[in-house]
């Protein structure tokens, strides 16, 4: 069955994370437990920020969006990965592969830009506190949110358009557990050198520039914090260090995967696994555990819930 770009491959076979059945079972159980514990925590963060009137600052607005983006990002890969662990033949359709690739880069690009926005928010709050309420007003926050979603869309659609123009006539085995640019491009029945350069420029260069810019901005912020008075110093340092940890978790694996020519390395699958499955769910939790206001609000919310449940049981 041929389509417009001469593609004859209608499905891809995923070789998976590992060929060992024992390791697959172990990873399946670990991911399932991890999801059952961490994923509800991410939704609790979103609900806490939405329901607590005291958490209306832009910092918490962006944290709620980070939790949403990370949960959505992990859903593009992990559920199918869990199903494939239980399947003998791991197959994904051509259109399903393109769809997964689109959402992976759409949400991933949006999250990278969100971290840039969060760095800007911290810079204004710490280095220009008198201008904070003016610069980071609700309208500006929503405009930045719209811009990062649009940026993620543009980044992803470029990847998809370039891949849709490639002919795929076989083989159709992807040496990975999900569809991503480096593996898919290698299966094209044509010279992909130019396309690879464009992909590295679109994904790799953008990732690297964002990463270096974020590190530079947080270095400026931390230097400013060290020179200021002791009041609020520890809180500002803690917030910035947490942001830096999240930046490293987000951009470290992405730089490893996308800023080099698309040659397979032994560590690719492991890095991709942590980048697409583990780290996205950990990011908001790491931030929350270091943020006293959110922790206090969550405890208050859970306490109210427990009291309501006890009251309901007593009345009935």
């Amino acid at each position: 069955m041929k389509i417009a770009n001469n593609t004859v491959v209608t499905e891809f076979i995923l070789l998976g994370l590992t060929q060992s059945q024992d390791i697959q079972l172990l990873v399946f159980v670990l991911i399932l437990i991890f999801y059952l514990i961490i994923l509800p925590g991410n939704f609790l963060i979103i609900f806490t920020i939405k329901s607590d009137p005291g958490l209306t600052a832009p910092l918490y607005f962006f944290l709620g969006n980070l939790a949403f983006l990370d949960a959505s990002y992990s859903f593009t890969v992990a559920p199918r990965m869990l199903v494939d662990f239980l399947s003998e033949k791991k197959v994904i359709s051509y259109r399903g592969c393109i769809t997964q690739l689109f959402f992976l880069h759409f949400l991933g690009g949006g999250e990278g830009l969100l971290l840039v926005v969060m760095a800007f928010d911290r810079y204004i709050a710490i280095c220009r506190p008198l201008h904070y309420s003016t610069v980071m007003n609700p309208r500006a926050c929503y405009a930045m949110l719209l811009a990062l979603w649009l940026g993620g869309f543009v980044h992803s659609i470029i990847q998809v358009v370039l891949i849709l123009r490639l002919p795929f006539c076989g083989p159709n085995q992807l040496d990975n557990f999900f569809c991503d640019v480096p593996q898919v491009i290698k299966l094209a029945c044509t010279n992909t050198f130019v396309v690879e350069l464009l992909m590295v420029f679109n994904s790799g260069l953008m990732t690297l520039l964002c990463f270096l810019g974020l590190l530079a901005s947080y270095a400026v912020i931390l230097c400013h914090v060290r020179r200021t008075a002791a009041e609020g110093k520890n809180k500002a340092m803690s917030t910035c260090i947490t942001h830096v940890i999240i930046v490293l978790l987000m951009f470290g694996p992405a730089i490893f995967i996308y800023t080099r020519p698309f040659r397979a390395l032994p560590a690719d699958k492991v890095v991709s696994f942590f980048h697409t499955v583990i780290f996205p769910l950990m990011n908001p939790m790491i931030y929350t555990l270091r943020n006293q206001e959110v922790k206090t609000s969550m405890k208050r919310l859970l306490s109210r819930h427990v009291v309501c449940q006890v009251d309901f049981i007593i009345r009935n």
Side-chain angles (χ1 to χ4, degrees):
M1 176 179 137
K2 283 194 177 186
I3 58 178
N5 66 342
N6 297 320
T7 297
V8 293
V9 170
T10 59
E11 63 182 25
F12 293 106
I13 298 172
L14 302 172
L15 298 183
L17 185 64
T18 175
Q19 299 302 309
S20 169
Q21 293 295 325
D22 292 335
I23 295 177
Q24 284 190 38
L25 180 60
L26 176 63
V27 174
F28 174 83
V29 173
L30 290 176
I31 293 175
L32 191 60
I33 293 172
F34 183 78
Y35 259 64
L36 291 175
I37 295 173
I38 303 297
L39 188 60
N42 274 9
F43 288 117
L44 179 60
I45 293 170
I46 297 171
F47 183 70
T48 300
I49 292 171
K50 287 290 184 183
S51 61
D52 191 337
L55 299 178
T56 56
L59 173 64
Y60 305 114
F61 171 75
F62 293 128
L63 174 60
N65 280 278
L66 176 66
F68 175 77
L69 272 172
D70 275 328
S72 303
Y73 185 80
S74 66
F75 272 124
T76 62
V77 174
R80 183 178 183 88
M81 183 184 182
L82 290 173
V83 172
D84 285 343
F85 277 141
L86 304 176
S87 306
E88 289 187 15
K89 192 176 182 182
K90 305 170 178 60
V91 175
I92 185 170
S93 68
Y94 175 80
R95 286 182 174 83
C97 181
I98 297 300
T99 301
Q100 186 182 62
L101 191 149
F102 169 78
F103 281 106
L104 190 74
H105 286 270
F106 173 45
L107 297 168
E111 183 177 348
L113 295 174
L114 176 58
L115 293 178
V116 173
V117 170
M118 292 176 76
F120 177 72
D121 171 74
R122 289 302 83 201
Y123 172 79
I124 299 297
I126 294 171
C127 301
R128 299 288 186 272
L130 297 178
H131 299 91
Y132 185 72
S133 59
T134 304
V135 175
M136 300 302 294
N137 60 73
R139 185 175 179 178
C141 290
Y142 280 108
M144 284 186 274
L145 186 65
L146 178 63
L148 68 89
W149 279 100
L150 182 61
F153 176 80
V154 171
H155 160 70
S156 183
I157 205 68
I158 291 173
Q159 309 269 60
V160 169
V161 167
L162 289 173
I163 287 179
L164 287 175
R165 294 171 62 86
L166 296 175
F168 294 93
C169 50
N172 67 337
Q173 288 189 335
L174 283 172
D175 189 18
N176 212 336
F177 55 93
F178 68 105
C179 285
D180 200 9
V181 173
Q183 292 78 30
V184 173
I185 280 183
K186 285 302 182 184
L187 297 182
C189 304
T190 186
N191 189 317
T192 59
F193 177 74
V194 175
V195 177
E196 286 188 39
L197 284 181
L198 292 173
M199 292 292 193
V200 169
F201 178 80
N202 183 40
S203 288
L205 185 60
M206 187 189 83
T207 301
L208 185 60
L209 290 176
C210 285
F211 176 70
L212 294 177
L214 284 166
L215 288 186
S217 65
Y218 281 117
V220 171
I221 293 170
L222 289 171
C223 288
H224 181 84
V225 169
R226 291 185 64 182
R227 294 197 302 266
T228 57
E231 185 180 355
K233 186 174 182 177
N234 291 336
K235 180 181 176 182
M237 288 285 287
S238 177
T239 301
C240 289
I241 290 171
T242 304
H243 281 210
V244 171
I245 292 172
I246 293 175
V247 166
L248 292 173
L249 292 179
M250 168 71 185
F251 285 94
I255 290 171
F256 177 82
I257 296 168
Y258 298 115
T259 57
R260 58 183 171 83
F262 295 157
R263 291 194 301 267
L265 295 178
D268 282 352
K269 288 185 181 181
V270 176
V271 174
S272 295
F273 172 69
F274 280 95
H275 181 55
T276 57
V277 179
I278 303 299
F279 289 159
L281 291 179
M282 288 178 62
N283 288 345
M285 297 303 294
I286 290 171
Y287 188 90
T288 302
L289 291 174
R290 294 180 62 91
N291 188 289
Q292 190 59 44
E293 287 83 356
V294 178
K295 283 196 294 184
T296 302
S297 182
M298 289 175 69
K299 289 176 183 177
R300 198 162 50 238
L301 184 68
L302 291 172
S303 298
R304 285 203 303 266
H305 178 72
V306 171
V307 169
C308 289
Q309 289 292 326
V310 171
D311 184 59
F312 176 79
I313 293 171
I314 292 172
R315 291 186 179 187
N316 292 274

PDB file of all heavy atoms in Angstrom, residues 251-275:
ATOM      1  N   PHE A 251      17.532  18.252  30.358  1.00  0.00           N
ATOM      2  CA  PHE A 251      18.370  18.550  29.192  1.00  0.00           C
ATOM      3  C   PHE A 251      19.568  17.617  29.033  1.00  0.00           C
ATOM      4  O   PHE A 251      20.055  17.450  27.913  1.00  0.00           O
ATOM      5  CB  PHE A 251      18.865  19.996  29.258  1.00  0.00           C
ATOM      6  CG  PHE A 251      17.806  21.008  28.921  1.00  0.00           C
ATOM      7  CD1 PHE A 251      17.051  21.608  29.911  1.00  0.00           C
ATOM      8  CD2 PHE A 251      17.549  21.342  27.605  1.00  0.00           C
ATOM      9  CE1 PHE A 251      16.066  22.522  29.607  1.00  0.00           C
ATOM     10  CE2 PHE A 251      16.567  22.262  27.281  1.00  0.00           C
ATOM     11  CZ  PHE A 251      15.822  22.861  28.289  1.00  0.00           C
ATOM     12  N   GLY A 252      20.051  17.026  30.130  1.00  0.00           N
ATOM     13  CA  GLY A 252      21.209  16.131  30.035  1.00  0.00           C
ATOM     14  C   GLY A 252      20.992  14.991  29.053  1.00  0.00           C
ATOM     15  O   GLY A 252      21.749  14.849  28.068  1.00  0.00           O
ATOM     16  N   PRO A 253      19.948  14.163  29.250  1.00  0.00           N
ATOM     17  CA  PRO A 253      19.695  13.079  28.297  1.00  0.00           C
ATOM     18  C   PRO A 253      19.367  13.571  26.895  1.00  0.00           C
ATOM     19  O   PRO A 253      19.766  12.960  25.903  1.00  0.00           O
ATOM     20  CB  PRO A 253      18.494  12.347  28.913  1.00  0.00           C
ATOM     21  CG  PRO A 253      18.527  12.698  30.358  1.00  0.00           C
ATOM     22  CD  PRO A 253      19.052  14.097  30.416  1.00  0.00           C
ATOM     23  N   ALA A 254      18.618  14.694  26.798  1.00  0.00           N
ATOM     24  CA  ALA A 254      18.244  15.224  25.480  1.00  0.00           C
ATOM     25  C   ALA A 254      19.482  15.635  24.684  1.00  0.00           C
ATOM     26  O   ALA A 254      19.564  15.404  23.469  1.00  0.00           O
ATOM     27  CB  ALA A 254      17.294  16.407  25.644  1.00  0.00           C
ATOM     28  N   ILE A 255      20.450  16.248  25.350  1.00  0.00           N
ATOM     29  CA  ILE A 255      21.695  16.635  24.680  1.00  0.00           C
ATOM     30  C   ILE A 255      22.445  15.398  24.196  1.00  0.00           C
ATOM     31  O   ILE A 255      22.974  15.356  23.080  1.00  0.00           O
ATOM     32  CB  ILE A 255      22.568  17.476  25.636  1.00  0.00           C
ATOM     33  CG1 ILE A 255      21.926  18.855  25.847  1.00  0.00           C
ATOM     34  CG2 ILE A 255      23.982  17.631  25.094  1.00  0.00           C
ATOM     35  CD1 ILE A 255      22.583  19.679  26.923  1.00  0.00           C
ATOM     36  N   PHE A 256      22.479  14.369  25.031  1.00  0.00           N
ATOM     37  CA  PHE A 256      23.159  13.114  24.662  1.00  0.00           C
ATOM     38  C   PHE A 256      22.521  12.490  23.421  1.00  0.00           C
ATOM     39  O   PHE A 256      23.217  11.972  22.546  1.00  0.00           O
ATOM     40  CB  PHE A 256      23.090  12.130  25.836  1.00  0.00           C
ATOM     41  CG  PHE A 256      23.689  10.783  25.537  1.00  0.00           C
ATOM     42  CD1 PHE A 256      25.060  10.591  25.636  1.00  0.00           C
ATOM     43  CD2 PHE A 256      22.890   9.717  25.148  1.00  0.00           C
ATOM     44  CE1 PHE A 256      25.622   9.352  25.352  1.00  0.00           C
ATOM     45  CE2 PHE A 256      23.438   8.474  24.866  1.00  0.00           C
ATOM     46  CZ  PHE A 256      24.803   8.293  24.964  1.00  0.00           C
ATOM     47  N   ILE A 257      21.198  12.549  23.326  1.00  0.00           N
ATOM     48  CA  ILE A 257      20.483  11.875  22.239  1.00  0.00           C
ATOM     49  C   ILE A 257      20.489  12.682  20.945  1.00  0.00           C
ATOM     50  O   ILE A 257      20.693  12.134  19.856  1.00  0.00           O
ATOM     51  CB  ILE A 257      19.017  11.592  22.657  1.00  0.00           C
ATOM     52  CG1 ILE A 257      18.981  10.611  23.830  1.00  0.00           C
ATOM     53  CG2 ILE A 257      18.209  11.035  21.479  1.00  0.00           C
ATOM     54  CD1 ILE A 257      17.614  10.500  24.492  1.00  0.00           C
ATOM     55  N   TYR A 258      20.295  14.005  21.042  1.00  0.00           N
ATOM     56  CA  TYR A 258      19.978  14.786  19.840  1.00  0.00           C
ATOM     57  C   TYR A 258      21.099  15.692  19.322  1.00  0.00           C
ATOM     58  O   TYR A 258      20.955  16.250  18.232  1.00  0.00           O
ATOM     59  CB  TYR A 258      18.737  15.651  20.100  1.00  0.00           C
ATOM     60  CG  TYR A 258      17.506  14.854  20.416  1.00  0.00           C
ATOM     61  CD1 TYR A 258      16.909  14.952  21.670  1.00  0.00           C
ATOM     62  CD2 TYR A 258      16.936  13.991  19.487  1.00  0.00           C
ATOM     63  CE1 TYR A 258      15.770  14.222  21.987  1.00  0.00           C
ATOM     64  CE2 TYR A 258      15.810  13.251  19.783  1.00  0.00           C
ATOM     65  CZ  TYR A 258      15.230  13.364  21.038  1.00  0.00           C
ATOM     66  OH  TYR A 258      14.115  12.635  21.345  1.00  0.00           O
ATOM     67  N   THR A 259      22.176  15.881  20.065  1.00  0.00           N
ATOM     68  CA  THR A 259      23.200  16.821  19.605  1.00  0.00           C
ATOM     69  C   THR A 259      24.385  16.137  18.923  1.00  0.00           C
ATOM     70  O   THR A 259      25.424  16.746  18.732  1.00  0.00           O
ATOM     71  CB  THR A 259      23.740  17.659  20.790  1.00  0.00           C
ATOM     72  OG1 THR A 259      24.256  16.788  21.787  1.00  0.00           O
ATOM     73  CG2 THR A 259      22.659  18.535  21.372  1.00  0.00           C
ATOM     74  N   ARG A 260      24.228  14.908  18.539  1.00  0.00           N
ATOM     75  CA  ARG A 260      25.292  14.188  17.836  1.00  0.00           C
ATOM     76  C   ARG A 260      24.695  13.511  16.608  1.00  0.00           C
ATOM     77  O   ARG A 260      23.477  13.363  16.506  1.00  0.00           O
ATOM     78  CB  ARG A 260      25.917  13.142  18.766  1.00  0.00           C
ATOM     79  CG  ARG A 260      24.915  12.129  19.313  1.00  0.00           C
ATOM     80  CD  ARG A 260      25.569  11.154  20.278  1.00  0.00           C
ATOM     81  NE  ARG A 260      24.595  10.332  20.962  1.00  0.00           N
ATOM     82  CZ  ARG A 260      24.051   9.228  20.456  1.00  0.00           C
ATOM     83  NH1 ARG A 260      24.375   8.833  19.240  1.00  0.00           N
ATOM     84  NH2 ARG A 260      23.177   8.524  21.165  1.00  0.00           N
ATOM     85  N   PRO A 261      25.543  13.103  15.668  1.00  0.00           N
ATOM     86  CA  PRO A 261      25.028  12.355  14.513  1.00  0.00           C
ATOM     87  C   PRO A 261      24.265  11.116  14.989  1.00  0.00           C
ATOM     88  O   PRO A 261      24.580  10.550  16.038  1.00  0.00           O
ATOM     89  CB  PRO A 261      26.297  11.969  13.750  1.00  0.00           C
ATOM     90  CG  PRO A 261      27.309  12.997  14.163  1.00  0.00           C
ATOM     91  CD  PRO A 261      26.988  13.330  15.590  1.00  0.00           C
ATOM     92  N   PHE A 262      23.286  10.709  14.208  1.00  0.00           N
ATOM     93  CA  PHE A 262      22.396   9.633  14.650  1.00  0.00           C
ATOM     94  C   PHE A 262      23.050   8.255  14.478  1.00  0.00           C
ATOM     95  O   PHE A 262      22.674   7.453  13.627  1.00  0.00           O
ATOM     96  CB  PHE A 262      21.074   9.703  13.882  1.00  0.00           C
ATOM     97  CG  PHE A 262      20.289  10.943  14.188  1.00  0.00           C
ATOM     98  CD1 PHE A 262      19.348  11.427  13.282  1.00  0.00           C
ATOM     99  CD2 PHE A 262      20.477  11.637  15.371  1.00  0.00           C
ATOM    100  CE1 PHE A 262      18.613  12.574  13.565  1.00  0.00           C
ATOM    101  CE2 PHE A 262      19.756  12.783  15.654  1.00  0.00           C
ATOM    102  CZ  PHE A 262      18.829  13.251  14.757  1.00  0.00           C
ATOM    103  N   ARG A 263      24.040   7.996  15.315  1.00  0.00           N
ATOM    104  CA  ARG A 263      24.675   6.682  15.368  1.00  0.00           C
ATOM    105  C   ARG A 263      24.278   6.009  16.674  1.00  0.00           C
ATOM    106  O   ARG A 263      24.283   6.645  17.732  1.00  0.00           O
ATOM    107  CB  ARG A 263      26.197   6.799  15.283  1.00  0.00           C
ATOM    108  CG  ARG A 263      26.712   7.259  13.937  1.00  0.00           C
ATOM    109  CD  ARG A 263      28.217   7.016  13.826  1.00  0.00           C
ATOM    110  NE  ARG A 263      28.935   7.719  14.876  1.00  0.00           N
ATOM    111  CZ  ARG A 263      29.439   8.947  14.741  1.00  0.00           C
ATOM    112  NH1 ARG A 263      29.262   9.601  13.612  1.00  0.00           N
ATOM    113  NH2 ARG A 263      30.086   9.523  15.729  1.00  0.00           N
ATOM    114  N   ALA A 264      23.965   4.731  16.593  1.00  0.00           N
ATOM    115  CA  ALA A 264      23.510   3.998  17.777  1.00  0.00           C
ATOM    116  C   ALA A 264      24.671   3.769  18.738  1.00  0.00           C
ATOM    117  O   ALA A 264      25.772   3.368  18.335  1.00  0.00           O
ATOM    118  CB  ALA A 264      22.898   2.666  17.359  1.00  0.00           C
ATOM    119  N   LEU A 265      24.429   4.040  20.006  1.00  0.00           N
ATOM    120  CA  LEU A 265      25.394   3.768  21.063  1.00  0.00           C
ATOM    121  C   LEU A 265      24.759   2.821  22.088  1.00  0.00           C
ATOM    122  O   LEU A 265      23.535   2.802  22.247  1.00  0.00           O
ATOM    123  CB  LEU A 265      25.814   5.065  21.752  1.00  0.00           C
ATOM    124  CG  LEU A 265      26.576   6.086  20.893  1.00  0.00           C
ATOM    125  CD1 LEU A 265      26.869   7.343  21.704  1.00  0.00           C
ATOM    126  CD2 LEU A 265      27.886   5.489  20.382  1.00  0.00           C
ATOM    127  N   PRO A 266      25.578   2.020  22.785  1.00  0.00           N
ATOM    128  CA  PRO A 266      25.021   1.066  23.745  1.00  0.00           C
ATOM    129  C   PRO A 266      24.147   1.713  24.823  1.00  0.00           C
ATOM    130  O   PRO A 266      23.213   1.092  25.326  1.00  0.00           O
ATOM    131  CB  PRO A 266      26.276   0.429  24.369  1.00  0.00           C
ATOM    132  CG  PRO A 266      27.338   0.595  23.333  1.00  0.00           C
ATOM    133  CD  PRO A 266      27.039   1.894  22.659  1.00  0.00           C
ATOM    134  N   ALA A 267      24.458   2.966  25.182  1.00  0.00           N
ATOM    135  CA  ALA A 267      23.723   3.626  26.273  1.00  0.00           C
ATOM    136  C   ALA A 267      22.432   4.295  25.822  1.00  0.00           C
ATOM    137  O   ALA A 267      21.671   4.793  26.654  1.00  0.00           O
ATOM    138  CB  ALA A 267      24.633   4.667  26.950  1.00  0.00           C
ATOM    139  N   ASP A 268      22.151   4.301  24.510  1.00  0.00           N
ATOM    140  CA  ASP A 268      20.996   5.051  23.983  1.00  0.00           C
ATOM    141  C   ASP A 268      19.681   4.651  24.634  1.00  0.00           C
ATOM    142  O   ASP A 268      18.886   5.500  25.049  1.00  0.00           O
ATOM    143  CB  ASP A 268      20.893   4.861  22.468  1.00  0.00           C
ATOM    144  CG  ASP A 268      21.894   5.730  21.717  1.00  0.00           C
ATOM    145  OD1 ASP A 268      22.543   6.568  22.363  1.00  0.00           O
ATOM    146  OD2 ASP A 268      22.016   5.566  20.494  1.00  0.00           O
ATOM    147  N   LYS A 269      19.433   3.353  24.721  1.00  0.00           N
ATOM    148  CA  LYS A 269      18.138   2.889  25.235  1.00  0.00           C
ATOM    149  C   LYS A 269      17.963   3.240  26.713  1.00  0.00           C
ATOM    150  O   LYS A 269      16.872   3.650  27.135  1.00  0.00           O
ATOM    151  CB  LYS A 269      17.996   1.381  25.046  1.00  0.00           C
ATOM    152  CG  LYS A 269      17.789   0.960  23.602  1.00  0.00           C
ATOM    153  CD  LYS A 269      17.534  -0.542  23.524  1.00  0.00           C
ATOM    154  CE  LYS A 269      17.348  -1.002  22.100  1.00  0.00           C
ATOM    155  NZ  LYS A 269      17.086  -2.452  22.006  1.00  0.00           N
ATOM    156  N   VAL A 270      19.035   3.074  27.477  1.00  0.00           N
ATOM    157  CA  VAL A 270      18.946   3.375  28.914  1.00  0.00           C
ATOM    158  C   VAL A 270      18.703   4.866  29.133  1.00  0.00           C
ATOM    159  O   VAL A 270      17.845   5.265  29.931  1.00  0.00           O
ATOM    160  CB  VAL A 270      20.237   2.925  29.646  1.00  0.00           C
ATOM    161  CG1 VAL A 270      20.175   3.329  31.120  1.00  0.00           C
ATOM    162  CG2 VAL A 270      20.424   1.424  29.520  1.00  0.00           C
ATOM    163  N   VAL A 271      19.439   5.706  28.397  1.00  0.00           N
ATOM    164  CA  VAL A 271      19.261   7.156  28.512  1.00  0.00           C
ATOM    165  C   VAL A 271      17.852   7.551  28.085  1.00  0.00           C
ATOM    166  O   VAL A 271      17.183   8.354  28.745  1.00  0.00           O
ATOM    167  CB  VAL A 271      20.319   7.904  27.664  1.00  0.00           C
ATOM    168  CG1 VAL A 271      20.048   9.405  27.665  1.00  0.00           C
ATOM    169  CG2 VAL A 271      21.721   7.639  28.213  1.00  0.00           C
ATOM    170  N   SER A 272      17.376   6.974  26.979  1.00  0.00           N
ATOM    171  CA  SER A 272      16.017   7.273  26.500  1.00  0.00           C
ATOM    172  C   SER A 272      14.964   6.822  27.505  1.00  0.00           C
ATOM    173  O   SER A 272      13.943   7.493  27.692  1.00  0.00           O
ATOM    174  CB  SER A 272      15.766   6.574  25.159  1.00  0.00           C
ATOM    175  OG  SER A 272      16.613   7.093  24.163  1.00  0.00           O
ATOM    176  N   PHE A 273      15.203   5.698  28.156  1.00  0.00           N
ATOM    177  CA  PHE A 273      14.258   5.177  29.149  1.00  0.00           C
ATOM    178  C   PHE A 273      14.086   6.161  30.299  1.00  0.00           C
ATOM    179  O   PHE A 273      12.971   6.498  30.697  1.00  0.00           O
ATOM    180  CB  PHE A 273      14.764   3.823  29.660  1.00  0.00           C
ATOM    181  CG  PHE A 273      13.980   3.275  30.814  1.00  0.00           C
ATOM    182  CD1 PHE A 273      12.681   2.834  30.644  1.00  0.00           C
ATOM    183  CD2 PHE A 273      14.545   3.198  32.079  1.00  0.00           C
ATOM    184  CE1 PHE A 273      11.951   2.323  31.711  1.00  0.00           C
ATOM    185  CE2 PHE A 273      13.828   2.698  33.147  1.00  0.00           C
ATOM    186  CZ  PHE A 273      12.526   2.253  32.961  1.00  0.00           C
ATOM    187  N   PHE A 274      15.194   6.646  30.838  1.00  0.00           N
ATOM    188  CA  PHE A 274      15.110   7.602  31.942  1.00  0.00           C
ATOM    189  C   PHE A 274      14.550   8.941  31.466  1.00  0.00           C
ATOM    190  O   PHE A 274      13.798   9.605  32.194  1.00  0.00           O
ATOM    191  CB  PHE A 274      16.489   7.797  32.583  1.00  0.00           C
ATOM    192  CG  PHE A 274      16.868   6.700  33.532  1.00  0.00           C
ATOM    193  CD1 PHE A 274      17.641   5.636  33.114  1.00  0.00           C
ATOM    194  CD2 PHE A 274      16.430   6.721  34.849  1.00  0.00           C
ATOM    195  CE1 PHE A 274      17.981   4.604  33.989  1.00  0.00           C
ATOM    196  CE2 PHE A 274      16.755   5.708  35.735  1.00  0.00           C
ATOM    197  CZ  PHE A 274      17.535   4.639  35.294  1.00  0.00           C
ATOM    198  N   HIS A 275      14.891   9.330  30.233  1.00  0.00           N
ATOM    199  CA  HIS A 275      14.454  10.618  29.701  1.00  0.00           C
ATOM    200  C   HIS A 275      12.960  10.665  29.435  1.00  0.00           C
ATOM    201  O   HIS A 275      12.313  11.703  29.653  1.00  0.00           O
ATOM    202  CB  HIS A 275      15.225  10.904  28.404  1.00  0.00           C
ATOM    203  CG  HIS A 275      14.881  12.203  27.763  1.00  0.00           C
ATOM    204  ND1 HIS A 275      14.965  13.418  28.426  1.00  0.00           N
ATOM    205  CD2 HIS A 275      14.436  12.500  26.509  1.00  0.00           C
ATOM    206  CE1 HIS A 275      14.600  14.384  27.614  1.00  0.00           C
ATOM    207  NE2 HIS A 275      14.272  13.866  26.451  1.00  0.00           N
TER     208      HIS A 275
END
